[in-house]
Amino acid sequence: MKIIADMKVNGKTLMLVQGDITGRDVDAIVNAANSNLKHGGGVAGAIVRKGGHIIQEESDRIGYVPVGNAAVTGAGSLPCRYVIHAVGPSMGEGDEDNKLRNAVLNSLMLASGKGLKSISIPAISSGIFGFPKDRCAEILVREAFRYLSGDTKMSLDHIEFCIYDDLTMGFFRKEFERLG
């Protein structure tokens, strides 16, 4: 795991790391999920492969989650305590930017509502859902920054973005540089 950037916002940490989100030792990791919570490929598939089928079983009990919303399961054998399944938009379905904003905001609120201190988030919707990587980085980083800039009584004191590939990392790095 490599730390690319970090900053303090309201005394809390906003960080950018490169690596595999399934190895992050945080309270919760975010899964870029589909509405049916079927975790077959991409980040979702890796989470179930490494955390165990119990994550899929818990997701099946939850069932359908609308785009822009999030749900939580246990983390199986992953080092984190929870997996927050954020349902981001697919390009072409309409109002994608607002749906992505809602997905990240609902993930942060769900984590804070559970009293969690730390969360790691991937580039939601920028893979097979086709959301442009530059817009994804802008929306996610700015929403996290805005969230940390607001209510100082929330439980989260560490929000990080865990990005796997170099191309996507370049866009996230630019957003951190703009804020820093």
Side-chain angles (χ1 to χ4, degrees), residues 13-109:
T13 302
L14 184 61
M15 185 180 286
L16 179 60
V17 299
Q18 187 162 18
D20 180 353
I21 198 167
T22 63
R24 298 304 295 147
D25 186 11
V26 291
D27 289 337
I29 63 171
V30 173
N31 171 26
N34 57 56
S35 285
N36 294 313
L37 300 185
K38 298 298 181 193
H39 312 308
V43 172
I47 287 171
V48 169
R49 278 191 305 279
K50 293 185 180 179
H53 197 68
I54 186 69
I55 297 169
Q56 184 62 66
E57 290 169 7
E58 288 183 41
S59 295
D60 290 344
R61 285 194 288 277
I62 293 167
Y64 184 84
V65 176
V67 175
N69 289 300
V72 65
T73 65
S77 59
L78 295 172
C80 59
R81 293 170 40 207
Y82 298 99
V83 177
I84 295 175
H85 305 276
V87 181
S90 292
M91 281 312 288
E93 69 183 43
D95 200 24
E96 297 93 352
D97 287 10
N98 281 325
K99 289 175 180 175
L100 185 58
R101 273 187 202 91
N102 288 337
V104 71
L105 186 58
N106 284 322
S107 297
L108 296 171
M109 291 189 313

Side-chain angles (χ1 to χ4, degrees), residues 31 132 160 174:
N31 171 26
E160 68 177 35
K174 284 180 188 170

